[in-house]
Amino acid sequence: MMQLDRTAATADIVREYSIGSVLSGGGSVPFPEASAKDWMKMVNDFQNGSLSSRLGIPMMYGIDAVHGHNNVYKATIFPHNVGLGATRDPELVKKIGAATALEVRATGIDYVFAPCIAVCRDPRWGRCFESYSEDPQLVEDMTSIIPGLQGDIPRGTPKGFPNVVGSDKVAACAKHYVGDGGTTKGINENNTRIDWNGLLKIHMPGYVRAINQGVATIMVSYSSWNGHKMHANHLLITRFLKGTLKFKGFVISDWQGIDRITTPPHKNYTYSVLKGVNAGIDMFMLPFNQTEFLDILTGLIENKFVSMNRINDAVRRILRVKFVMGLFEKPLADNRLVDELGAQAHRDLAREAVRKSLVLLKNGENADGPVLPLPRNSHRILVAGSHANNLGHQCGGWTIAWQGLSGNNITAGTTILNGVASAVNLTTQIVFNESPTAEFVKKGNFEYGIVVVGETPYAETFGDSLNLTIAEPGPSTITNVCGAIKCVVILVTGRPVTIEPYLNQIDALVAAWLPGSEGQGVADVLYGDYGFSGKLPRTWFKSVEQLPMNVGDRHYDPLFPFGFGLTTEPVESKKIIH
C-alpha cells in the first residue's frame, strides 16, 4: 500500500518492506540526460528488490507523463491538455496516449499519473493547462487517451474492471478525484463549493467515462468539496466511486496527500493515516518515509481502528491491477522498445497535434483582408518576443523539471523560430530580436513581424494568478512591433490571458497554448501548409473581473466565446527543401 519516491528507495528497502510501488516525482531522474537504458536499469534494480521480497510480488513504477514522457530527456513533448482540447479530436488524443505509452515503456516504466481530467472552471488556477476544457462534455470526450495508454477494453469485461492490454501499454491514472478544477478563485488545492447535482454534472462525467474504459487507477485531489478534504472523503471514495460507480482498480493518494488533511500538513499523522485509509485510499504516495506510515497503520489495525477488511480491499485492488498488467508473468523491463523514445513517428504526431491545436482569434480587419496565411517569399521579416526561440517556454511546466525550464538545451525539439526559418524561402531574410525597440522596428524595412510572447513556465500553485497578465517585456514587444508594421501575435500560454488592451494594434492573433517540443507545427499553419481549425476549449475573458465565467453562465460576455476559432484554407505552394 506504500509508494516511495526513487530518492528515498533502494532495492533493499523495496525488498525489506515489500514496497508496492516506486515513483519519480516531477524532475526526479536517475541523473541529468539519462538515456532510456539508464532508466530501465534503475527500474529493474528496484524490481529485483521486489522479486526477492518475502512474497516476491512485483512493484509498479509510476511517473507523471502528462504531455508525453515529460520527465525524460529527448522524449517527445506533446501539447499540454488545454491545446489538445482545442483540437476537438478524440482519435488524435488516443494516438497520443498510445505513443506516450510506447515512450514510457521504452524506459522500463509501466504506470503513468495521467490523464488529468479536471474541468477547469477558472483560468486563474495554476493547473488550468492540465485541463482539456471548461466544458464537461469535451473533457469526457478526451478520456479517449485512456484506451490509448492502456489499450481498448475487451468486449465482455466486467463493469469497472481495470484493463491494461500488453507489454507496450501502461496503467493510467485519472486525476484528481474530484472537483479540483472548481476551487474558489482558482486557488490550487482549495475548496470547491458546489451542490451534489453540480458536482455530478460538471466534475464527475469524466470519471464515469474513464471507469467505463477500464482505467486502472484514480488519484484523489488535494482539494476539498464544501469544506471536506477529498483525501478524507469516505462518501465520495468508498460509497460513490467504489460502490455506485463500481470502480475495481485502486485509488491512490496524491504526493503527501494525507499529510495535507491537517493544517499545517503532517500535524497529526496518525489522524491523517486513519482518515485516509478509512476513506478508501488503497495506495499512499508517501513519498519519503515508509516506516512512519507502516508503524502507525499497524497500530491502528491492532487497536481495531482500521479493519482487516479495509486492508484486504486495498491489497486486492492493487494485486488486481498488477495481474491485469501482466507484471507477475513479465516483471522486468526489456529493451525491445528502447528506440521508441523520441521516435520520429511520435514527433510527427506531436507536430500534427500542434497544427490542430492552434486557434485563430483575429485575422485582419474586414477592410484590409486576411493577414494569414503569411507569404513565404518576403524579402525581410522580423521575428520577436521572449517565446519565439525558447523551447522551455513553449513546453511549459512539467517538462524535464517539475516547474519547467527556460532555454533551448533542456531537451530535443524545434522552436517556433526554427519552424519559421524552415517554412520561408531561402532568400527571405529573418531578423530575430527578442525585445526590439519601436525605433528598431520602424527603421528595419520589414514586410511583417511575428511576435511570440506569453507566460513563463509554472506548475500547480506556482501558476495561480489573480491578474492573468503577460509579463514584460511581452506587452512592450507587442506595442513596439504592432505599432509600426503589420504583425501576427502568437500567444504561448496555458490559458486565456489579458489581451483586450492590445487587440486593436494586432493584425492577426493566434492562441498556440503550450505546444511542446515540435514548434514547427506552428509554422506549418502560419504559412498555409495546413489551415487553422482549432476551437477555443475555454472562454476568453475581457477582464479578470468577469471571472469565473464559463459557457452557459447567465452573464456571459466574453471577448471570444467558448468554441470560437476562425478558419483558413491551406495554400498550394512549392515547398523549398532546405
Side-chain angles (χ1 to χ4, degrees):
M1 294 172 65
M2 297 187 291
Q3 184 180 59
L4 289 180
D5 186 76
R6 51 164 291 282
T7 57
T10 64
D12 288 342
I13 288 172
V14 170
R15 181 188 71 246
E16 183 180 348
Y17 291 93
S18 297
I19 299 297
S21 180
V22 179
L23 85 148
S24 279
S28 181
V29 300
F31 50 84
E33 301 185 9
S35 70
K37 287 183 177 177
D38 295 326
W39 279 91
M40 194 174 292
K41 181 184 181 306
M42 178 192 70
V43 174
N44 279 342
D45 285 347
F46 286 128
Q47 191 65 282
N48 282 321
S50 277
L51 298 175
S52 60
S53 64
R54 184 174 65 88
L55 294 175
I57 295 168
M59 62 99 203
M60 300 165 66
Y61 196 100
I63 198 164
D64 286 282
V66 297
H67 62 142
H69 200 7
N70 50 259
N71 270 316
V72 177
Y73 184 63
K74 290 190 174 177
T76 307
I77 307 297
F78 292 94
H80 267 299
N81 285 356
V82 65
L84 298 183
T87 70
R88 297 295 202 279
D89 191 341
E91 203 51 46
L92 173 71
V93 170
K94 182 179 179 180
K95 289 177 186 173
I96 289 170
T100 300
L102 285 170
E103 298 210 12
V104 170
R105 282 288 193 172
T107 56
I109 296 171
D110 50 28
Y111 178 27
V112 299
F113 306 124
C116 176
I117 53 172
V119 182
C120 175
R121 302 292 284 179
D122 193 322
R124 292 174 289 189
W125 186 37
R127 304 194 81 149
C128 210
F129 64 75
E130 297 184 58
S131 167
Y132 293 107
S133 179
E134 71 192 42
D135 175 53
Q137 183 61 58
L138 183 50
V139 172
E140 191 182 337
D141 292 343
M142 293 305 178
T143 61
S144 58
I145 196 169
I146 293 169
L149 291 163
Q150 297 191 158
D152 290 311
I153 193 161
R155 188 171 292 175
T157 301
K159 181 176 169 58
F161 207 79
N163 172 69
V164 185
V165 183
S167 57
D168 60 346
K169 298 296 183 183
V170 294
C173 179
K175 65 184 190 183
H176 309 85
Y177 184 82
V178 59
D180 53 337
T183 58
T184 302
K185 294 185 179 177
I187 298 169
N188 192 40
E189 303 183 21
N190 207 257
N191 188 31
T192 297
R193 292 206 164 276
I194 194 168
D195 63 19
W196 177 247
N197 286 336
L199 190 74
L200 293 186
K201 181 181 173 186
I202 293 172
H203 298 287
M204 198 66 77
Y207 290 96
V208 176
R209 179 77 72 91
I211 291 165
N212 289 340
Q213 294 180 108
V215 74
T217 73
I218 290 176
M219 185 184 292
V220 183
S221 177
Y222 288 129
S223 59
S224 302
W225 175 50
N226 294 337
H228 190 172
K229 289 276 189 181
M230 277 305 311
H231 274 77
N233 199 314
H234 180 269
L235 166 69
L236 281 167
I237 297 172
T238 295
R239 286 173 57 190
F240 192 75
L241 182 62
K242 293 181 174 181
T244 305
L245 297 183
K246 296 183 166 52
F247 175 59
K248 296 292 193 295
F250 70 77
V251 177
I252 188 168
S253 81
D254 207 334
W255 178 278
Q256 295 180 324
I258 58 166
D259 301 52
R260 303 189 201 188
I261 289 172
T262 59
T263 305
H266 209 84
K267 182 181 180 182
N268 184 341
Y269 199 54
T270 300
Y271 173 82
S272 293
V273 173
L274 175 66
K275 296 299 285 186
V277 173
N278 281 345
I281 298 171
D282 303 310
M283 185 177 280
F284 293 81
M285 196 185 293
L286 297 175
F288 300 121
N289 189 338
Q290 76 280 4
T291 55
E292 183 184 25
F293 178 87
L294 185 60
D295 291 346
I296 288 172
L297 183 51
T298 303
L300 290 170
I301 295 164
E302 288 171 349
N303 290 297
K304 305 283 194 293
F305 289 103
V306 174
S307 71
M308 279 309 298
N309 281 344
R310 171 72 273 269
I311 301 302
N312 287 337
D313 170 56
V315 173
R316 185 179 294 115
R317 288 167 176 275
I318 293 163
L319 289 176
R320 179 182 292 137
V321 169
K322 290 181 178 182
F323 274 117
V324 165
M325 292 169 70
L327 272 177
F328 287 88
E329 294 82 7
K330 195 175 179 183
L332 293 170
D334 61 46
N335 57 17
R336 182 177 58 91
L337 297 174
V338 72
D339 292 335
E340 296 288 349
L341 186 71
Q344 188 58 48
H346 303 160
R347 295 193 180 279
D348 293 344
L349 181 65
R351 186 170 169 179
E352 177 189 353
V354 173
R355 293 195 293 259
K356 291 181 174 178
S357 70
L358 302 175
V359 180
L360 182 56
L361 298 173
K362 182 179 179 180
N363 193 16
E365 300 296 347
N366 292 337
D368 302 329
V371 176
L372 296 170
L374 292 169
R376 297 177 191 279
N377 56 357
S378 303
H379 172 63
R380 183 173 158 90
I381 65 172
L382 173 67
V383 179
S386 52
H387 290 57
N389 190 35
N390 195 313
L391 191 60
H393 284 183
Q394 76 188 38
C395 288
W398 291 111
T399 308
I400 305 300
W402 173 41
Q403 291 294 322
L405 295 163
S406 181
N408 290 336
N409 298 323
I410 65 164
T411 192
T414 307
T415 68
I416 293 169
L417 176 63
N418 297 150
V420 170
S422 66
V424 297
N425 284 355
L426 285 168
T427 55
T428 299
Q429 184 183 359
I430 301 171
V431 176
F432 172 59
N433 187 324
E434 194 169 301
S435 185
T437 63
E439 194 73 13
F440 176 87
V441 180
K442 285 171 187 168
K443 290 181 176 178
N445 195 28
F446 302 114
E447 290 179 44
Y448 60 84
I450 299 171
V451 178
V452 193
V453 293
E455 297 183 299
T456 52
Y458 56 81
E460 298 192 47
T461 305
F462 293 91
D464 286 358
S465 169
L466 290 177
N467 58 29
L468 292 176
T469 53
I470 304 167
E472 283 291 356
S476 297
T477 306
I478 292 173
T479 301
N480 291 346
V481 177
C482 298
I485 57 174
K486 185 181 289 187
C487 76
V488 179
V489 172
I490 298 168
L491 295 176
V492 176
T493 67
R495 54 201 164 183
V497 291
T498 302
I499 195 66
E500 192 185 32
Y502 320 108
L503 196 55
N504 285 338
Q505 297 177 300
I506 296 168
D507 296 298
L509 179 62
V510 178
W513 315 109
L514 297 169
S517 61
E518 307 311 305
Q520 202 154 355
V522 176
D524 288 342
V525 185
L526 285 183
Y527 287 93
D529 286 331
Y530 298 83
F532 280 92
S533 60
K535 302 297 179 189
L536 281 182
R538 311 203 48 77
T539 297
W540 205 293
F541 56 86
K542 293 176 180 174
S543 72
V544 289
E545 285 73 33
Q546 296 174 294
L547 300 175
M549 177 175 63
N550 294 284
V551 63
D553 288 355
R554 192 175 302 168
H555 303 293
Y556 193 66
D557 183 28
L559 182 62
F560 302 107
F562 172 84
F564 180 81
L566 303 172
T567 58
T568 60
E569 291 298 319
V571 293
E572 290 292 324
S573 67
K574 293 177 180 175
K575 273 303 294 278
I576 304 297
I577 298 172
H578 289 257

